[in-house]
Amino acid sequence: MSYFDAASAAPLHPVARQALLAALDDGWADPSRLYREGRRARMLLDAAREAAAEAVGCRPDELTFTSSGTRAVHTGVAGALAGRRRTGRHLIVSAVEHSSVLHSAELWETEGGAVTQVPVARTGAVDAGSYASALRPDTALACLQSANHEVGTVQPVAEVAEACRAAGVPLLVDAAQSLGWGRVEGDWSLLAASAHKWGGPAGVGLLVVRKGVRFAAQGAADERESGRAPGFENLPAIVAAAASLRAVRAEAEQEAVRLRELTARIRTRVAESVPDVEVVGDAERRLPGIVTFSCLYVDGETLLHELDREGFSVSSGSSCTSSTLTPSHVLRAMGVLSEGNVRVSLPAGAAEADVERFLEVLPGLVAGVREKLGAPVPVAVSEADVLVVDALGKRCPIPVIELAKVIGTVPVGGRVRVLSDDEAARLDIPAWCEMRGQEYEGEEKAEQGTAYLVRRIS
């Protein structure tokens, strides 16, 4: 089986396994106690904190171990906003942040706070100037991921941090995807990360709060971890997390070169061998192991199942693989195709032969899914110079397939009006127009669902 979903969770690093087993024997006692076993546990905890702080580039007393990366984000956002409540109640996030950040922002809004969501370009990157423009006198906190978890695009953290620092606003960086590859550049104020992203055990997160940042931990007070992460420390997992972070960093420079070559190969070969595909994300400013593409006229869930049968574990941001039947918020914010979406995220040590086999089987699987799905004869009627396609009750990618089947039957300059009640059509029809060189004229409310208007240009 070829595991290509490291962006979700990386396989446990061998060093993490060794450290975990050793710490189970020596790190089981309460590190706050003064007897021998407690002192031994305290030494292990302090050593792990120092190792993690060195990897992050902060002081050990600025770093807190939490129960997960999500908990680190929630604690960091809530504590920073509470600490700067006198400044104001305005929060800035990007449109492609991890759901943990966006959920924190939603909670802040329900409590009466104001949130500005900074848009991204089609590559998934924010513009540093847009962040600077969003800053206000009452801005309490800004949040920006170091790199995107779905498409791999690296964000301009250093430039945004500089703008925030000039305005006196702390910047919280979600570094979950990038910390295993290197330190986050720039003068940031808070940082969150998660051990299972770099090959450590699940259930360990990092929260860094720089000295001088106003921070008020929320919830009941606790004596452990500076009061920011209540409860008994999972010391064996913490030791394993710190050990694996140090280990992957030692390998990162050489492995990054190798994975960049493999992902560049995927980007090129997929675009060449699979018709009607869009490779998304920034082609240059990106993490080493992530590549994402979307296939027109393909059911994403079916494609993932076919890849699984061939021995490949990949993930998807397609609405067809979601229980909500809505496309990924990242793909939606980028304005790219969501249907038939595949994210390949290679773990350290991924074999070149496995990548080659993936590239060999993918075109046939996509063609097979398209053939199985078929291209149903659209229900089309003419309204003057507009051809109406009734795709109500049909899920992705059927509305786009039906649009593609009839666009050639209308004269150049003619229009097709697609009726759909699938939320994914709001993203996929404009994306199809972009890919196929047709003009998307917008949407309007219909008696049932929504009408999407497309003008034939060629």
Side-chain angles (χ1 to χ4, degrees), residues 435-455:
M435 292 177 67
R436 309 301 291 180
Q438 308 300 341
E439 181 182 353
Y440 177 65
E441 294 189 334
E443 65 178 72
E444 59 189 22
K445 188 172 180 57
E447 185 175 342
Q448 295 183 60
T450 303
Y452 301 92
L453 200 61
V454 176
R455 180 192 292 274

Side-chain angles (χ1 to χ4, degrees), residues 127-443:
D127 176 61
S130 297
Y131 253 81
S133 298
L135 293 166
R136 305 186 330 203
D138 64 335
T139 301
L141 177 67
C143 300
L144 179 64
Q145 59 190 193
S146 55
N148 187 258
H149 50 291
E150 288 195 30
V151 300
T153 297
V154 173
Q155 302 290 2
V157 172
E159 294 92 329
V160 171
E162 183 179 357
C164 289
R165 180 67 64 178
V169 174
L171 176 68
L172 184 151
V173 178
D174 172 13
Q177 287 298 337
S178 72
L179 194 59
W181 297 108
R183 291 182 178 180
V184 177
E185 300 297 327
D187 197 8
W188 47 265
S189 302
L190 302 98
L191 180 143
S194 185
H196 74 280
K197 300 290 188 178
W198 65 68
V204 180
L206 305 181
L207 172 62
V208 178
V209 182
R210 296 283 200 189
K211 292 297 181 183
V213 175
R214 291 187 178 276
F215 190 93
Q218 300 301 286
D222 194 277
E223 294 77 20
R224 298 179 186 273
E225 292 299 304
S226 304
R228 294 171 183 166
F232 198 95
E233 296 94 343
N234 185 352
L235 187 53
I238 288 172
V239 170
S244 59
L245 181 56
R246 174 179 286 179
V248 298
R249 280 291 190 81
E251 306 159 352
E253 185 175 354
Q254 182 175 355
E255 186 64 10
V257 172
R258 198 178 70 87
L259 291 188
R260 285 189 188 282
E261 192 281 325
L262 290 177
T263 52
R265 189 184 308 181
I266 295 172
R267 290 178 66 88
T268 300
R269 294 265 294 279
V270 166
E272 292 174 347
S273 63
V274 180
D276 297 315
V277 69
E278 181 176 15
V279 182
V280 302
D282 195 294
E284 301 297 332
R285 288 179 55 85
R286 59 185 303 100
L287 290 177
I290 299 179
V291 56
T292 306
F293 54 89
S294 300
C295 306
L296 272 172
Y297 322 132
V298 168
D299 179 334
E301 184 173 5
T302 302
L303 180 57
L304 261 60
H305 284 316
E306 291 297 325
L307 285 166
D308 183 52
R309 290 190 185 94
E310 290 291 332
F312 296 100
S313 300
V314 299
S315 62
S316 173
S318 172
S319 58
C320 298
T321 64
S322 168
S323 60
T324 62
L325 292 178
T326 57
S328 150
H329 71 276
V330 172
L331 301 178
R332 185 170 60 246
M334 293 168 61
V336 298
L337 186 70
S338 74
E339 66 185 52
N341 178 261
V342 174
R343 179 186 69 180
V344 175
S345 48
L346 304 176
E352 180 181 1
D354 290 341
V355 171
E356 279 297 320
R357 191 170 74 84
F358 174 82
L359 291 170
E360 289 171 5
V361 304
L362 179 68
L365 294 180
V366 172
V369 171
R370 286 172 173 164
E371 183 178 358
K372 288 179 183 177
L373 189 62
V377 178
V379 179
V381 298
S382 179
E383 288 184 359
D385 62 341
V386 178
L387 185 67
V388 178
V389 172
D390 186 353
L392 293 169
K394 299 173 182 177
R395 299 301 175 192
C396 71
I398 299 300
V400 181
I401 290 178
E402 296 195 347
L403 168 61
K405 291 290 288 183
V406 302
I407 191 71
T409 66
V410 300
V412 174
R415 294 181 177 87
V416 177
R417 190 170 185 259
V418 183
L419 299 177
S420 176
D421 51 7
D422 181 13
E423 180 65 24
R426 179 165 283 110
L427 176 62
D428 290 345
I429 290 176
W432 179 88
C433 292
E434 179 79 18
M435 292 177 67
R436 309 301 291 180
Q438 308 300 341
E439 181 182 353
Y440 177 65
E441 294 189 334
E443 65 178 72

